């Protein structure tokens, strides 16, 4: 017997697919339950749900999105969704009064939440973009890659989602979107932080182009 | 189902079985490249029809509500696709909400309850007014006419026109609902025979182009053959309809001309949006491409039937 939270999760996954018609396109990457970091461009609050729904069910069970505390804890419904259904790791966003210390704590919380079996979903831009341009990546991805050397870093590109639920929109509008998973990256020996972040961003841009 | 319906449905399934066999024959290893290509197209089409027949049988057996749900869902998926390939702006979000979650259910509700007055004016009149009003409320005037026109086009094509096909089940015909069902099957059959003939002929004979400036692949030879074949099919299945053979042929003629127009308009939409805009709908052929001939033919077929062959007053279905 599945738990209620899991049933709700299935319902949401089904609903997200009905609205967005998304099925994942695994371009240079196979679905797997091994520990991974999925990093994607961010343009809509719908992103987490759609990315999470497009993963196969056994992978989904072992994947925890990173969610910004200020948004997701602002109502009971969101809190239920993000904690019980998505099993998310809550993060205090940088630039919300925290600075370096908050950034450090976010990485700590993420590593703790990953343990040695959970994969995570992160949006390294840190905030939602306009859906066309992908902003510069923040450092968290680098720190996770450095502290978890065995983990695969999978670039993901989400298309059309900001048309489904743009900034300020309340109800998602049905639209066909696509979600592509690219070739996993690994942090090279001695690679500088900025070089790595640029390379990771480039991997998402490559998916956007083709 | 009555005997006539079973017989008609059975013959359609027979045609499908024949199509499946033909496709398998064409796709055998020794066949040439052209035959292989024709076979592959035929197989894809026939498979889609099997599914469609299954869905229609379920719709018929479950009564009126089944067909409303099936066609309502088709409208939803079509509109979702149409909006995807149409550029919309952030300010259109509210208007699109109305389109999907108010207009679409209301149109099929009016069909379900047999409220002909609402069914016929909801989208051409009220949605036509509500969409621009909602856009004005969103406060973005850039390309205003273009944006309202695109959404209105989507509503007319994907909801209004599509809903005219299941509306056949609502007509007060002498043979009742099962006669409506046979008419729906007749309409789908004629449209599909026409569309299939075109698609296959394009691969076999190049011919003289109908609309070369559009870049459409249709040739005059294919047009004549496809219309001829669908008129023939219509006449051959007159026994399943309230029409005489000549009337059935005339209906099939009207339907296939509209279906041809639908194909050409789809080419025009593709040109307008560019291939780039259309491939957003990844991996499979867009559903609109398959259904646009039916969208174009359904209103004409419904209205001709309603005007000349129904028994009730013209105030209702």
């Amino acid at each position: 017997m599945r738990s209620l939270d899991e049933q709700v999760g299935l319902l949401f996954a089904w609903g997200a697919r009905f609205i967005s018609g998304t099925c994942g396109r695994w371009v240079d990457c196979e679905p797997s339950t091994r520990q991974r970091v999925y990093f994607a461009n961010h343009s809509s609050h719908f992103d987490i749900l759609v990315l999470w729904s497009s993963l196969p069910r056994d992978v989904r069970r072992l994947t925890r999105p990173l969610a910004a505390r200020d948004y997701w804890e602002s109502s009971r419904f969101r809190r239920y969704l993000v904690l019980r259904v998505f099993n998310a790791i809550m993060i205090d966003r940088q630039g919300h009064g925290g600075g370096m210390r908050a950034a450090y704590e976010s990485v700590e919380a993420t590593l703790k939440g990953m343990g040695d079996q959970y994969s995570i979903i992160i949006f390294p831009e840190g905030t939602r973009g306009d859906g066309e341009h992908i902003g510069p990546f923040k450092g968290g991805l680098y720190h996770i890659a450095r502290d978890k050397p065995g983990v695969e870093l999978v670039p993901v590109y989400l298309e059309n989602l900001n048309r489904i639920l743009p900034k300020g929109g309340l109800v998602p509008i049905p639209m066909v979107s696509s979600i592509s998973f690219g070739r996993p990256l690994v942090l090279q020996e001695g690679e500088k932080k900025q070089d790595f972040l640029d390379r990771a961003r480039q991997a998402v841009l490559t998916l956007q182009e083709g | 189902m009555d005997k006539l319906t079973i017989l008609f449905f059975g013959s359609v399934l027979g045609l499908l079985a024949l199509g499946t066999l033909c496709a398998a024959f064409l796709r055998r290893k020794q066949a040439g490249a052209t035959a292989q290509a024709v076979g592959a197209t035929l197989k894809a089409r026939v498979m889609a029809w099997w599914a469609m027949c299954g869905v229609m049988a379920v719709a018929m057996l479950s009564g009126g509500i089944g067909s409303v749900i099936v066609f309502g869902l088709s409208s939803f998926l079509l509109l979702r696709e149409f909006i995807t390939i149409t550029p919309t702006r952030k300010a259109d979000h509210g208007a699109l909400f109305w389109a999907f979650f108010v207009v679409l259910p209301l149109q099929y509700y009016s069909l379900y309850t047999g409220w002909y007055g609402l069914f016929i004016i909801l989208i051409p009149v009220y949605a036509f007014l509500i969409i621009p009003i909602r856009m004005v409320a969103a406060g973005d005037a850039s390309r205003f006419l273009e944006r309202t026109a695109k959404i209105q086009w989507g509503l007319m094509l994907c909801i209004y026109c599509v809903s005219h096909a299941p509306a056949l089940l609502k007509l007060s015909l002498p043979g009742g609902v099962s006669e409506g069902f046979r008419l729906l099957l007749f309409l789908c059959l004629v449209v599909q025979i026409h569309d299939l003939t075109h698609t296959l002929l394009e691969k076999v004979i190049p011919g003289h182009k109908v609309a070369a400036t559009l870049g459409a692949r249709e040739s005059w030879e294919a047009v004549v053959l496809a219309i001829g074949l669908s008129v023939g099919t219509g006449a051959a299945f007159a026994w399943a309809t309230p029409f005489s053979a000549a009337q059935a042929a005339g209906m099939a003629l009207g339907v296939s001309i509209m279906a041809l127009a639908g194909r050409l308009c789809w080419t025009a939409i593709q040109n307008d949006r560019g291939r780039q805009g259309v491939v957003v709908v990844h991996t499979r052929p867009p559903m609109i491409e398959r259904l646009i001939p039916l969208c174009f033919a359904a209103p004409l077929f419904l209205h001709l039937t309603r005007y000349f062959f129904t028994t009730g007053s013209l105030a209702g279905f």
Side-chain angles (χ1 to χ4, degrees):
Chain A
M1 200 43 208
R2 284 195 207 97
S3 71
L4 177 66
D5 298 335
E6 218 170 328
Q7 308 267 22
V8 173
L10 283 178
L11 195 71
F12 269 91
W14 186 83
R17 251 174 284 167
F18 188 66
I19 295 286
S20 69
T22 314
C23 54
R25 293 197 306 151
W26 298 80
V27 182
D28 281 314
C29 181
E30 294 285 321
S32 153
T33 49
R34 61 175 294 177
Q35 209 174 9
R36 280 174 168 171
V37 173
Y38 300 94
F39 61 97
N41 60 317
H42 196 21
S43 65
S44 165
H45 284 312
F46 215 51
D47 286 346
I48 286 189
L49 178 59
V50 168
L51 211 172
W52 182 80
S53 312
S54 70
L55 296 170
R57 208 184 297 173
D58 49 341
V59 179
R60 205 188 296 157
R61 207 171 280 147
L62 288 172
T63 304
R64 307 182 68 179
L66 259 56
R69 195 185 297 280
D70 54 285
Y71 174 76
W72 287 98
E73 284 204 341
S74 60
S75 80
R76 273 183 79 165
F77 170 69
R78 284 180 194 162
R79 189 159 45 227
Y80 167 77
L81 203 63
V82 82
L83 290 178
R84 302 298 298 277
V85 178
F86 298 157
N87 188 21
I89 302 169
M90 299 305 263
I91 294 296
D92 295 301
R93 265 196 278 204
Q94 300 175 39
H96 282 255
M100 282 308 286
R101 172 124 198 97
Y104 174 76
E105 276 170 8
S106 307
V107 173
E108 283 298 297
T110 308
L111 292 171
K112 196 163 153 251
M114 286 176 80
D116 51 11
Q117 60 164 339
Y118 284 104
S119 298
I120 54 166
I121 296 172
I122 71 172
F123 300 103
E125 289 167 272
T127 182
R128 286 171 294 159
D130 62 4
E132 278 180 33
H133 304 289
I134 298 177
F137 281 8
K138 298 200 167 160
L141 183 64
Y142 169 78
H143 296 296
I144 294 162
R146 196 190 48 197
D147 293 348
K148 286 257 177 209
V151 172
E152 283 188 342
L153 311 164
V154 180
V156 181
Y157 178 67
L158 303 162
E159 183 179 341
N160 247 354
L161 283 164
N162 76 314
R163 291 180 68 203
I164 293 180
L165 187 67
K167 265 183 181 170
L170 278 180
V171 182
I173 293 301
M175 195 113 46
V176 183
S177 60
S178 87
I179 171 165
S180 323
F181 297 85
R183 187 193 301 279
L185 307 179
V186 190
L187 179 65
Q188 308 278 311
E189 190 109 5
E191 192 173 10
K192 291 217 182 67
K193 180 173 163 186
Q194 199 50 49
D195 292 346
F196 170 75
L197 291 176
D198 288 342
R199 193 158 66 91
R201 180 167 171 270
Q202 192 54 48
V204 178
L205 285 172
T206 310
L207 289 172
Q208 179 180 30
E209 281 150 19
Chain B
M1 280 194 214
D2 57 358
K3 263 209 186 106
L4 204 54
T5 309
I6 293 172
L7 201 59
F8 187 26
F9 199 62
S11 354
V12 172
L13 292 185
L15 280 180
L16 277 182
L18 194 67
T20 311
L21 283 180
C22 284
F25 177 74
L26 286 169
R27 292 173 74 242
R28 75 196 190 285
K29 285 214 180 65
Q30 313 83 295
T34 319
Q36 293 265 8
V38 171
T41 314
L42 185 61
K43 187 184 171 213
R45 291 288 173 132
V46 169
M47 283 305 166
W49 287 20
W50 279 112
M52 239 167 84
C53 280
V55 166
M56 293 223 305
V58 170
M60 175 60 195
L61 292 172
S62 59
I65 187 75
S67 61
V68 167
I69 290 172
V70 166
F71 281 90
L73 202 61
S74 313
S75 280
F76 175 88
L77 296 175
L78 270 180
L79 188 61
R80 192 177 76 174
E81 225 176 68
F82 187 87
I83 298 298
T84 307
I85 64 175
T86 313
T88 56
R89 297 169 62 89
K90 207 176 124 185
D92 299 346
H93 199 77
L96 288 170
F97 171 81
W98 278 80
F100 276 100
F101 299 113
V102 180
V103 176
L104 195 155
L106 209 52
Q107 175 75 0
Y108 281 91
Y109 169 78
S110 69
L111 176 63
Y112 179 64
T113 54
W115 187 356
Y116 185 74
L118 183 66
F119 175 84
I120 221 71
I121 65 166
L122 176 69
I123 291 175
V125 180
Y126 289 101
F128 172 76
L129 296 174
I130 287 166
I131 297 297
I133 290 171
R134 184 62 189 81
M135 281 190 179
V136 164
D140 179 358
S142 62
R143 299 178 159 201
F144 183 74
L145 275 178
E146 204 179 309
R147 284 158 52 216
T148 49
K150 276 173 182 158
I151 296 183
Q152 185 63 15
W153 227 86
L155 289 177
M156 286 300 285
L157 186 74
C158 307
I159 305 179
Y160 192 72
C161 290
V162 171
S163 65
H164 279 66
L168 286 164
L169 299 178
K170 285 284 173 187
L171 293 180
S172 42
L173 295 155
V177 181
S178 54
E179 187 153 350
F181 179 70
R182 291 198 299 274
L183 283 174
L184 177 58
L185 207 55
F186 179 85
L187 170 68
C188 293
L189 180 68
V190 171
V191 166
Q192 293 293 356
I193 290 282
H194 176 270
D195 209 43
L196 181 67
T197 317
H198 257 296
T199 312
L200 295 186
L201 285 178
E202 274 164 24
K203 295 195 189 304
V204 187
I205 48 170
H208 302 86
K209 297 281 181 265
V210 173
T213 46
L214 279 179
R217 288 163 307 193
E218 284 76 5
S219 63
W220 282 112
E221 288 84 345
V223 167
V224 171
L225 272 169
I227 292 183
L229 203 60
S230 36
V231 167
T233 312
F237 282 98
W239 53 267
T241 66
F243 316 137
S244 71
Q247 286 166 340
M251 284 290 197
L253 180 65
V255 163
S256 42
I257 288 172
M258 290 311 279
L260 172 66
R263 280 177 73 93
L264 293 173
C265 286
W266 171 243
T267 314
I269 292 174
Q270 280 178 310
N271 286 349
D272 181 24
R273 291 295 306 119
R275 284 307 302 179
Q276 205 55 41
V278 176
V279 290
V280 177
V281 188
H282 285 289
T283 61
R284 59 207 153 81
M287 209 177 147
I288 302 177
E289 185 172 313
R290 292 287 158 83
L291 286 183
I292 205 171
L294 185 68
C295 297
F296 270 63
L300 179 77
F301 186 71
L302 178 87
H303 289 130
L304 286 179
T305 311
R306 180 170 165 275
Y307 197 77
F308 291 111
F309 296 94
T310 52
T311 50
S313 88
L314 282 179
F317 268 104

